[in-house]
């Protein structure tokens, strides 16, 4: 049996039926990482000791509950190896956010999502690569290395959760946690051909996620199948007293089906700039839904043209405030200086990369007195208009289908020196976050050998509907 290609449920069944142990499963993944990761570069650190300790503990629990007849007493995630984006804290392990400024920072506590996974008995294999402070769309902004796309090593894995996506795609983890501020779960999932869910803002606690832009950031699952994503999402969601923006979700028992679904297709998302191969695959997925009985309705999101500009004012503004804490005193790197200002300048000058500095400068400018009203306040007003577009769209449609990215994975280096063309990669993913909505990337086919994801967007806290429909569609694509 090829242990590393199993889904969560298959691996769970194998553990319960004692076909293999969690230690064997974990060792199989560790061997795969050893074999492949020099080429792919998905991991920034491998937490072998932690993983084996967790696996052995679960093996003891499984042997204590007896044979297959007692199956079901062990949670679905128990003993299953996963990866965690290196912007999410795992107690006692390094958490770098792929930045030199946090190169030697060791997390003093677990993020709530990690704690919840640990409580379910999950095995943590390591911490995955990301763009520095999750700012980017290719992992090329990582201070340490570029993650390669497992489908074509000359191309990017996407970003910022490129390490998590590549780890799952290359069978170096059964599932992984990523984070999404403007597309960082959905876009790498699309580029690497895995399923990625960005939950509604507030659905999963942000406690222990290194902050990028606090009114956007969300942790979410990345996995091989929709069902696996659901299993992980169910484990990590919910109200957390340590994150006042988190909420408990009301789960509807309604059975969502494609046959009675109204699928909204935003006309603005199918205009110039969309790669023809991607367009074909997305249109084919929409046709499949239609053939299965869905009603396709054209919708309009007229504020689409403002979404990127709005995002790239609000997000750097929040980031500039969040990153002020890396001052050479409280965390990580601390350069010596002649006075306090000199310590700040040297630490931040040496510790932060070009994209992070660019965003701190843009954000600080947008928030400065005299410009605040013209930029930050205006962008907040535009954010409301963008949100209203979606409110209107959801009167006509139950879910929205559209591309995740205008193009498939691009070549390493292709956009690295041109921030504006890199920002264009986010054109279909940022509006969702400006509106605080959930979105999922579902593998929908390949163009020239490269995976393409269909984006399924739902109304607030409608992950259940998205997952049900995605699971049905998954079998047809
Ligand atoms: N590419 C987007 C950005 O650079 C999204 C990043 C993210 O979601 N963390 O801001």
């Amino acid at each position: 049996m090829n242990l590393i290609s199993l889904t969560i449920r298959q691996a769970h069944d194998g553990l319960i039926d004692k076909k293999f142990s969690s230690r064997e499963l974990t060792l199989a993944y560790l061997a795969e990482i050893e074999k492949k990761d020099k080429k792919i570069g998905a991991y920034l650190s491998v937490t072998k000791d932690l993983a084996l300790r967790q696996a052995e503990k679960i093996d003891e629990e499984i042997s204590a509950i007896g044979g297959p007849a007692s199956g079901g007493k062990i949670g679905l995630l128990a003993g299953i190896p996963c990866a965690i984006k290196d912007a999410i804290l795992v107690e006692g392990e390094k958490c770098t956010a792929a930045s030199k400024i946090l190169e030697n920072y060791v997390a003093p506590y677990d993020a709530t999502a990690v704690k919840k996974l640990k409580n379910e008995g999950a095995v943590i294999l390591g911490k995955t690569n990301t763009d520095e402070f999750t700012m980017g769309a290719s992992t090329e902004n990582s201070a340490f290395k570029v993650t390669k796309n497992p489908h074509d090593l000359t191309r990017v894995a996407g970003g910022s959760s490129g390490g998590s996506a590549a780890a799952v795609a290359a069978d170096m983890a059964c599932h992984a946690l990523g984070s999404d501020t403007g597309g960082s779960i959905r876009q790498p999932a699309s580029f690497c051909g895995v399923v990625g869910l960005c939950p509604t803002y507030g659905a999963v606690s942000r406690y222990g996620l290194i902050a990028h832009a606090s009114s956007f950031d969300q942790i979410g699952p990345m996995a091989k199948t929709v069902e696996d994503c659901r299993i992980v999402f169910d484990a990590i969601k919910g109200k957390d007293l340590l994150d006042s923006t988190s909420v408990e979700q009301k789960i509807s028992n309604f059975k969502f089906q494609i046959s009675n679904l109204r699928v909204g297709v935003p006309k603005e998302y199918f205009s110039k700039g969309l790669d023809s191969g991607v367009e074909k695959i997305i249109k084919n997925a929409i046709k499949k839904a239609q053939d299965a009985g869905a009603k396709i309705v054209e919708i309009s999101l007229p504020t689409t043209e403002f979404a990127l500009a709005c995002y790239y004012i609000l997000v750097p503004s929040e980031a500039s405030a969040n990153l002020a804490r890396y001052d050479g005193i409280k965390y990580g790197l601390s350069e010596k200086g002649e006075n306090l200002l000199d310590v700040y300048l040297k630490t931040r000058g040496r510790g932060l990369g070009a994209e992070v500095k660019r965003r701190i400068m843009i954000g600080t400018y947008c928030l400065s007195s005299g410009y605040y009203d013209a930029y930050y306040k205006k962008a907040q007003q535009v954010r409301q208009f963008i949100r209203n577009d979606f409110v209107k769209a959801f009167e006509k449609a139950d879910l929205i289908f559209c591309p995740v990215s205008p193009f498939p994975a691009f070549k390493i280096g292709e956009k690295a020196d041109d921030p504006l063309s890199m920002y264009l990669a986010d054109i279909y993913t940022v509006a969702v976050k400006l509106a605080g909505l959930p979105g999922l990337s579902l593998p929908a086919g390949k163009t020239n050998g490269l995976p393409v994801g269909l984006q399924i967007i739902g109304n607030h806290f409608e992950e259940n509907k998205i997952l049900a429909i995605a699971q049905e569609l998954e079998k047809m694509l």
Side-chain angles (χ1 to χ4, degrees):
M1 193 186 294
N2 187 6
L3 298 187
I4 51 172
S5 62
L6 302 176
T7 64
I8 293 176
R9 192 175 289 281
Q10 289 165 341
H12 169 77
D13 290 348
L15 288 174
I16 293 293
D17 294 344
K18 302 208 163 95
K19 292 206 176 104
F20 47 83
S21 65
S22 173
R23 189 184 154 84
E24 282 163 345
L25 187 62
T26 304
L27 286 171
Y29 275 109
L30 289 169
E32 195 69 6
I33 295 170
E34 180 77 32
K35 190 170 101 194
K36 282 189 185 154
D37 207 39
K38 270 192 204 75
K39 274 203 194 124
I40 293 177
Y43 283 90
L44 286 177
S45 56
V46 176
T47 54
K48 185 175 173 192
D49 292 346
L50 171 68
L52 289 174
R53 262 199 324 272
Q54 290 171 315
E56 280 156 19
K57 188 163 162 265
I58 293 301
D59 284 337
E60 274 168 32
E61 281 177 31
I62 291 176
S63 62
I65 60 163
S70 57
K73 283 196 191 138
I74 289 278
L76 281 168
L77 290 170
I80 312 286
C82 65
I84 309 287
K85 181 176 183 174
D86 206 25
I88 304 172
L89 272 50
V90 176
E91 188 183 333
E93 304 295 341
K94 270 200 199 175
C95 193
T96 68
S99 180
K100 284 220 166 76
I101 213 159
L102 291 178
E103 190 166 7
N104 296 311
Y105 175 71
V106 174
Y109 58 88
D110 280 325
T112 297
V114 168
K115 183 164 253 153
K116 288 187 169 196
L117 286 183
K118 282 187 177 172
N119 288 345
E120 295 286 318
V123 170
I124 295 173
L125 294 165
K127 308 293 303 291
T128 50
N129 198 17
T130 161
D131 289 290
E132 185 175 3
F133 285 105
T134 79
M135 297 175 186
S138 66
T139 80
E140 289 166 294
N141 294 336
S142 165
F144 305 118
K145 58 182 169 194
V146 179
T147 301
K148 320 271 183 340
N149 192 310
H151 296 268
D152 176 347
L153 296 177
T154 66
R155 291 176 188 269
V156 301
S160 63
S161 311
S164 288
V168 174
D171 289 335
M172 295 190 288
C174 185
H175 65 90
L177 289 187
S179 69
D180 194 310
T181 301
S184 280
I185 289 177
R186 291 160 290 156
Q187 187 254 26
S190 173
F191 281 13
C192 291
V194 302
V195 186
L197 172 68
C198 172
T200 309
Y201 183 75
V204 176
S205 169
R206 285 180 295 113
Y207 183 72
L209 167 64
I210 292 182
H212 173 178
S214 308
S215 76
F216 293 77
D217 300 342
Q218 267 297 286
I219 294 177
M222 307 174 85
K224 286 186 187 125
T225 65
V226 177
E227 191 197 19
D228 282 3
C229 259
R230 178 197 290 280
I231 294 169
V232 180
F233 175 62
D234 283 344
I236 61 175
K237 71 182 180 193
K239 168 91 190 147
D240 176 17
L241 290 176
L242 298 169
D243 171 7
S244 58
T245 60
S246 66
V247 289
E248 202 59 55
Q249 207 159 342
K250 280 192 233 90
I251 305 291
S252 125
N253 288 325
F254 186 79
K255 206 168 170 305
F256 301 104
Q257 278 175 322
I258 293 185
S259 56
N260 51 26
L261 191 75
R262 294 172 305 164
V263 172
V265 178
K267 62 171 190 234
E268 291 82 1
Y269 282 32
F270 292 84
S271 54
K272 119 175 162 300
L274 176 60
D275 174 275
S276 61
V278 172
E279 181 170 5
K280 219 167 121 200
I281 291 170
I282 301 305
K283 291 212 161 136
N284 174 55
I286 294 169
K287 174 88 181 30
K288 286 269 163 63
Q290 188 174 25
D291 292 347
K295 191 169 160 241
I296 311 297
V297 279
E298 187 184 84
I299 56 163
S300 174
L301 301 169
T303 55
T304 299
E305 60 174 310
F306 308 118
L308 271 182
C310 180
Y311 175 90
Y312 278 102
I313 287 175
L314 294 178
V315 166
S317 296
E318 292 188 19
S320 71
N322 274 328
L323 269 66
R325 73 188 73 176
Y326 306 106
D327 56 4
I329 312 287
K330 301 188 200 72
Y331 307 87
L333 183 72
S334 182
E335 295 286 351
K336 289 201 176 48
E338 281 161 26
N339 50 42
L340 190 58
L341 182 63
D342 200 34
V343 171
Y344 291 165
L345 294 176
K346 286 200 174 114
T347 304
R348 288 167 72 85
R350 287 174 195 160
L352 299 173
E355 180 62 21
V356 176
K357 285 180 185 153
R358 185 177 301 123
R359 294 194 190 200
I360 290 173
M361 286 193 281
I362 292 172
T364 309
Y365 181 81
C366 291
L367 292 179
S368 58
S369 83
Y371 291 103
Y372 179 93
D373 284 342
Y375 294 109
Y376 186 75
K377 195 168 157 211
K378 186 55 87 193
Q380 285 289 29
Q381 289 163 340
V382 174
R383 184 176 197 177
Q384 195 55 46
F385 283 118
I386 291 171
R387 205 183 150 100
N388 292 347
D389 268 5
F390 282 100
V391 170
K392 275 212 200 96
F394 284 121
E395 286 166 7
K396 282 173 62 182
D398 301 304
L399 291 176
I400 295 171
F401 283 15
C402 60
V404 172
S405 162
F407 31 69
F410 45 88
K411 290 264 183 199
I412 292 168
E414 193 182 317
K415 298 180 193 295
D417 299 326
D418 182 358
L420 283 181
S421 87
M422 188 71 89
Y423 297 170
L424 273 177
D426 306 328
I427 186 120
Y428 301 135
T429 49
V430 294
V432 172
K433 298 304 310 240
L434 286 158
L437 296 165
L440 177 137
S441 176
L442 179 71
K446 282 188 177 175
T447 174
N448 295 328
L450 299 170
V452 171
L454 165 74
Q455 182 169 208
I456 306 181
I457 304 166
N459 213 336
H460 296 110
F461 299 105
E462 289 192 341
E463 283 84 352
N464 236 359
K465 191 190 283 181
I466 296 176
L467 288 162
I469 298 302
Q471 203 165 345
E472 210 183 323
L473 202 57
E474 189 177 37
K475 298 184 206 108
M476 304 174 193
L477 297 174

